[in-house]
Amino acid sequence: MKMPLNKKFFGKKLEENLVVNNIFRTFAAAIEEKSKAMKLVLIDEVRIQKALSKAQMAELVDALVSNTNTSRCTGSSPVLGT
């Protein structure tokens, strides 16, 4: 036995569902945009950290190379006055 369809009820429910669906889509789009922005910030932060690490490593290598060269120079020839 088929039940009669109440067009008013289903029409109202359909309309409510469309409104909720639009709100959900807007909310989902806002979350996606925020997520993209956060990813870009994280990517930039990682790039900055990598650049800092490389700069610090280069400074350390420069310091080691500078110290090695000066110690070799003084160690290879006798110091005057000895």
Side-chain angles (χ1 to χ4, degrees):
M1 174 187 221
K2 279 190 170 182
M3 296 189 67
L5 295 176
N6 185 340
K7 289 185 180 180
K8 259 187 180 176
F9 174 78
F10 285 109
K12 187 173 182 178
K13 286 295 180 187
L14 179 62
E15 199 173 291
E16 288 173 1
N17 285 338
L18 290 174
V19 169
V20 170
N21 194 11
N22 285 337
I23 291 170
F24 176 76
R25 284 183 183 175
T26 304
F27 185 69
I31 290 173
E32 186 175 347
E33 287 300 314
K34 184 73 171 177
S35 176
K36 286 179 185 177
M38 290 175 69
K39 284 178 186 175
L40 291 176
V41 167
L42 288 174
I43 289 170
D44 286 344
E45 197 168 317
V46 167
R47 286 179 181 160
I48 290 168
Q49 289 296 328
K50 284 182 180 179
L52 286 174
S53 294
K54 287 180 182 179
Q56 289 169 342
M57 183 62 75
E59 286 179 16
L60 180 61
V61 168
D62 286 344
L64 289 172
V65 168
S66 297
N67 288 339
T68 304
N69 288 340
T70 56
S71 64
R72 261 195 243 154
C73 292
T74 57
S76 61
S77 59
V79 178
L80 296 175
T82 56

